[in-house]
Amino acid sequence: MQENLSVTEEILEEPPSRRANGTLTADPSGTHLWLIGGDYYDGHRLHTYHNVYRFDPNKGDKGEWREYKSKNAPAPRSAHQTVATAQGGGKLWLFGGEFAGHSTFYHFSDFWSFDIQSKEWERIDTKVRPSARSGHRMTVFKNFIILYGGFHDTGVRTTYLDDLWIFSLDDFKWRKIEFSPLERKPSARSGFSFLPCPEQNEVVVFGGFCKTYEKGKRPVAKSLDDCYALKITTDEKNNTIFKWDRRKKVGYVPSLRSGATMAYWQSKNMGVLFAGVSDIDDSEESLQSVFHNDLFGYNLLGGGKWQSLNLRKPKKAGTKKKAAKKRAAKAAATAESDSDKGGESGSEDEQQPQQPEEEVIIDDPQKTVPMPRYNAMLAILRNTLFVFGGIFEQGTQEFTLDDMHSLALDKLERFKCIQECNVVGIEDEQDDDDEDDDDDGEEDYEDEEGTLEKGTDKQENLAETQVEPNEQPEEATQENPSDPNQDEGLPQPGETLRQFFERTKDRWVEVALQKMPEAQAKELRGVAFNLAEEKYEEHKPILREIEAMIRESGAEPIAAKSQQQPGSTSRNRR
């Protein structure tokens, strides 16, 4: 039992691998960030993580990442939610999410607490609790953890939820809040913003995403930009009363988008929104997407008001010169006036006009803004916004990002790049308009993953170019492989030996052919199957471990063959 509760701590030489749909949560002490879970689609399959990382922004220019591992931990997942409370030295609370294996898809309904002091996980089991879901949102309000919305995927249809749940930190019990059908309330949704406003005893819901279904018609994706305040009061019997109230759109409202969730800036009672994606879904054949990297603030007090958070513009070139010339002209006029009066105005040096100060060229702060994206992870520590990862799409290709940036919100001068983006191909797309005329005959080569490399004949796989061997994503299905290609040859949770072989047989046939170049096709297939079986048996203990974690979590399995393909717009936007 003690072995299961043991925790290992490691200072990382490299930052976490690229991901989206994880959670980045500010430590209640205001000193660290916690990154948990997330996923990454490499063009072939979806990698789902269960890592727990702590980031200290005060350790050098790039900060310090630490990873904490424990066998008694939640199963790998993404699209879950994590919130923090300060009591008892600080805790993180995690609920729900999803896991996509090769042959199965799971929704979770388990609830966990993570002790920030001991770094130990504890599962909170209750008879009554929210149903399994992903894409929901949670926030902390006084002694409550409040959960709303999300979606549940049956493999055939995605059902969006509008239920409200309250977890009491006093008695550790979940309670569903019922509303009259006649009451106005937010529509079902996922991927929205959910922010507390304790000064006004309310919690605010903004935006999100859903799909509408009509018989005989294809599902229609819909981004939302409405806003509701959940007012929380008590009656004369000290019962807590919950009531929804719709808010009007006031101020500089962001354009309609999905994949953008606000972080809570406590000292300013403000939500901060960054990036997102706007889709024009005109038909099944075409989907036009516009990716954003703009920044907005939503003042929670009063009735709520939007404002654009623009970086402060640098001083225009020549400003100092003009000011110096004015001072020199004024000094010359004064000296001439004194001379006419026959008076002494000072020494010869003092009477000389001041020389214009040399202009200091200031870099454009807009150049520091992170590239457009959606499903990025945002958190605010004190007055600093942090942005990590997310997704960018280029044509039909999906790129998961690994960069990290920070911005001092109280200054709004420029973003600081903590970790540069290592994704190959995206930079070329951004600069196409500027560089198309300057290629000097060089060709662009595109491989099956959409990775671009200018002026070479080499075609590289996205997963290989993006991750060095020591940066390979650490999943529950592998242990730091030294071969960057090894990941594609590993069995996945829920995958039988036959399914594993059929998925990877080309790889094993190639290895068999190297060993037996003169062998016949049937003989090669037999050797290839034996190689696959050896690999499958080698990794069976790891598979059993992750499958046990998933079973113990109470996950609801769904047949993967009915699922949307990983990387599809449906999966990302929902």
Side-chain angles (χ1 to χ4, degrees):
M1 188 68 178
Q2 289 298 320
E3 183 181 352
N4 287 338
L5 294 177
S6 63
V7 178
T8 61
E9 178 181 13
E10 178 186 359
I11 298 177
L12 303 182
E13 295 183 0
E14 300 290 339
S17 61
R18 62 187 59 198
R19 65 194 64 205
N21 302 308
T23 57
L24 191 63
T25 309
D27 192 288
S29 67
T31 56
H32 302 102
L33 295 173
W34 293 91
L35 174 61
I36 300 177
D39 58 34
Y40 155 54
Y41 181 63
D42 66 6
H44 296 290
R45 69 180 184 87
L46 190 68
H47 306 251
T48 306
Y49 305 114
H50 72 314
N51 313 80
V52 177
Y53 299 108
R54 190 190 74 179
F55 178 70
D56 186 344
N58 299 313
K59 295 290 182 69
D61 292 338
K62 301 296 183 181
E64 177 192 81
W65 287 98
R66 297 190 181 213
E67 182 177 7
Y68 297 91
K69 295 181 180 179
S70 170
K71 288 189 176 180
N72 182 41
R77 66 192 65 204
S78 62
H80 53 286
Q81 271 290 281
T82 306
V83 294
T85 57
Q87 294 83 357
K91 289 183 182 295
L92 304 178
W93 304 82
L94 180 151
F95 181 87
E98 64 186 55
F99 173 87
H102 175 70
S103 58
T104 348
F105 175 84
Y106 300 91
H107 273 299
F108 294 105
S109 62
D110 49 345
F111 188 44
W112 296 78
S113 71
F114 178 82
D115 189 292
I116 290 176
Q117 299 298 318
S118 66
K119 314 299 187 297
E120 294 178 356
W121 285 100
E122 178 185 1
R123 182 169 173 175
I124 312 297
D125 282 319
T126 57
K127 291 183 178 180
V128 178
R129 61 181 174 183
S131 59
R133 66 190 66 201
S134 310
H136 53 289
R137 293 294 181 262
M138 295 197 306
T139 191
V140 176
F141 179 86
K142 297 183 178 179
N143 64 328
F144 294 131
I145 293 175
I146 305 179
L147 180 151
Y148 178 73
F151 67 88
H152 185 269
D153 197 335
T154 63
V156 177
R157 174 175 175 150
T158 302
T159 301
Y160 291 85
L161 307 171
D162 63 354
D163 50 344
L164 181 73
W165 290 80
I166 307 296
F167 180 79
S168 172
L169 294 170
D170 295 329
D171 60 14
F172 274 39
K173 291 182 179 180
W174 283 104
R175 177 163 66 100
K176 185 178 181 181
I177 306 302
E178 301 289 352
F179 295 93
S180 166
L182 300 178
E183 290 185 63
R184 175 184 257 187
K185 64 177 184 178
S187 59
R189 65 192 66 200
S190 71
F192 50 94
S193 296
F194 202 35
L195 302 171
C197 185
E199 288 76 8
Q200 297 183 164
N201 290 318
E202 60 188 26
V203 173
V204 175
V205 168
F206 170 77
F209 179 86
C210 70
K211 279 188 176 182
T212 57
Y213 294 84
E214 291 185 28
K215 190 174 181 179
K217 297 182 179 180
R218 70 183 185 91
V220 177
K222 184 179 181 181
S223 296
L224 306 170
D225 63 353
D226 54 345
C227 187
Y228 283 81
L230 178 67
K231 296 188 176 296
I232 306 173
T233 57
T234 55
D235 60 16
E236 62 277 2
K237 296 182 180 180
N238 206 33
N239 296 317
T240 306
I241 309 298
F242 300 88
K243 182 177 177 59
W244 289 107
D245 182 38
R246 181 157 186 168
R247 282 189 166 188
K248 296 180 180 180
K249 299 177 185 178
V250 180
Y252 196 81
V253 183
S255 59
L256 191 63
R257 65 188 68 188
S258 59
T261 298
M262 285 189 278
Y264 179 48
W265 189 6
Q266 183 176 3
S267 63
K268 296 294 184 180
N269 289 300
M270 178 182 288
V272 177
L273 182 148
F274 174 73
V277 58
S278 301
D279 292 324
I280 304 174
D281 189 8
D282 292 331
S283 66
E284 292 185 10
E285 292 78 20
S286 64
L287 176 70
Q288 296 181 2
S289 300
V290 178
F291 299 91
H292 305 285
N293 62 347
D294 42 3
L295 193 68
F296 295 87
Y298 182 72
N299 294 288
L300 293 162
L301 297 180
K305 185 176 181 180
W306 285 99
Q307 68 182 82
S308 178
L309 298 180
N310 296 316
L311 298 185
R312 292 176 181 169
K313 295 181 180 179
K315 294 181 179 179
K316 294 181 180 179
T319 299
K320 290 186 177 182
K321 289 183 178 180
K322 290 178 181 178
K325 287 181 179 179
K326 287 183 179 179
R327 289 195 299 270
K330 184 177 181 181
T334 301
E336 184 177 351
S337 175
D338 291 342
S339 177
D340 291 341
K341 294 178 180 178
E344 295 283 335
S345 61
S347 66
E348 183 177 348
D349 290 339
E350 292 174 342
Q351 294 179 29
Q352 291 294 323
Q354 294 183 358
Q355 294 298 318
E357 298 179 19
E358 189 157 327
E359 173 63 13
V360 178
I361 299 176
I362 303 174
D363 291 334
D364 184 358
Q366 289 300 318
K367 294 180 180 179
T368 69
V369 178
M371 65 171 290
R373 67 195 66 204
Y374 67 99
N375 287 8
M377 290 153 281
L378 270 64
I380 296 175
L381 272 182
R382 301 187 185 275
N383 295 316
T384 302
L385 171 71
F386 292 86
V387 179
F388 182 89
I391 297 173
F392 179 80
E393 292 170 4
Q394 182 174 286
T396 60
Q397 302 300 321
E398 172 188 315
F399 295 87
T400 307
L401 308 178
D402 61 353
D403 53 339
M404 187 175 190
H405 305 262
S406 67
L407 173 67
L409 293 170
D410 52 343
K411 297 179 181 178
L412 285 177
E413 292 179 347
R414 58 199 298 115
F415 278 89
K416 174 186 175 183
C417 181
I418 299 172
Q419 164 67 20
E420 293 183 357
C421 182
N422 295 314
V423 179
V424 175
I426 296 180
E427 189 173 358
D428 294 333
E429 170 73 11
Q430 288 182 307
D431 296 337
D432 271 351
D433 292 340
D434 298 328
E435 297 180 358
D436 279 353
D437 298 332
D438 302 321
D439 285 343
D440 296 329
E442 291 184 346
E443 296 182 7
D444 292 346
Y445 294 90
E446 182 171 353
D447 70 6
E448 62 181 2
E449 299 307 321
T451 303
L452 304 178
E453 185 170 342
K454 279 188 175 289
T456 86
D457 290 324
K458 186 177 180 182
Q459 300 183 13
E460 300 184 59
N461 181 276
L462 173 62
E464 297 174 17
T465 56
Q466 164 251 316
V467 184
E468 294 298 325
N470 63 347
E471 296 176 344
Q472 186 68 21
E474 294 186 13
E475 301 177 80
T477 57
Q478 61 184 39
E479 295 293 337
N480 295 326
S482 58
D483 177 6
N485 294 320
Q486 184 180 7
D487 181 58
E488 291 304 319
L490 295 181
Q492 304 304 309
E495 190 173 39
T496 65
L497 172 59
R498 177 61 59 182
Q499 290 171 332
F500 171 59
F501 176 68
E502 289 302 321
R503 177 172 64 86
T504 60
K505 63 182 177 182
D506 290 345
R507 173 190 184 90
W508 306 116
V509 168
E510 183 180 347
V511 175
L513 187 60
Q514 292 175 356
K515 293 183 177 182
M516 306 168 60
E518 304 298 329
Q520 299 296 316
K522 185 175 181 180
E523 186 179 5
L524 282 175
R525 183 178 174 86
V527 174
F529 183 83
N530 291 335
L531 290 170
E533 186 176 20
E534 289 177 10
K535 181 63 68 175
Y536 188 86
E537 292 297 325
E538 177 186 345
H539 284 267
K540 188 179 285 185
I542 300 175
L543 294 178
R544 286 175 176 171
E545 181 179 337
I546 186 173
E547 288 166 357
M549 293 172 69
I550 292 173
R551 284 195 304 271
E552 292 170 3
S553 71
E556 298 181 7
I558 300 164
K561 63 182 180 180
S562 301
Q563 278 296 110
Q564 296 281 349
Q565 289 297 317
S568 70
T569 298
S570 174
R571 178 184 73 84
N572 292 330
R573 306 293 197 268
R574 67 187 184 182

